[in-house]
């Protein structure tokens, strides 16, 4: 799985709270990907992508 955060994060922090192994809040108050997810984190990342209020988390299987 490849994860990225597209432009438009409003810094709600949901992804960081839900999966701190992959997402972290950057200095500009927007989230960033700090590590690509291991298999056991896939569900957390999918939840984060589904629940991000602005839908900027892109998670590609494979
Ligand atoms: Fe930003 Fe969405 Fe995460 S708004 S902080 S990428 S849940």
């Amino acid at each position: 799985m490849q994860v990225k955060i597209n432009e438009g994060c409003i810094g709600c922090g949901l992804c960081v709270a839900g999966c701190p192994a992959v997402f972290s809040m950057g200095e500009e108050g927007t989230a960033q990907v700090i590590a690509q997810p291991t298999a056991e984190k896939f569900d957390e990342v999918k939840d984060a992508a589904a629940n991000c209020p602005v839908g900027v988390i892109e998670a590609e299987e494979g």
Side-chain angles (χ1 to χ4, degrees):
M1 177 185 273
Q2 282 288 315
V3 184
K4 66 175 183 170
I5 300 177
N6 292 318
E7 297 238 331
C9 167
I10 56 170
C12 83
L14 214 94
C15 57
V16 179
C19 190
V22 172
F23 303 104
S24 174
M25 200 54 80
E27 282 179 15
E28 291 170 8
T30 55
Q32 56 195 19
V33 174
I34 52 169
Q36 290 298 323
T38 52
E40 63 265 27
K41 298 292 177 196
F42 283 8
D43 283 349
E44 288 181 11
V45 169
K46 280 188 216 160
D47 282 352
N51 293 328
C52 171
V54 285
V56 293
I57 299 172
E58 215 174 292
E60 277 182 12
E61 305 271 351

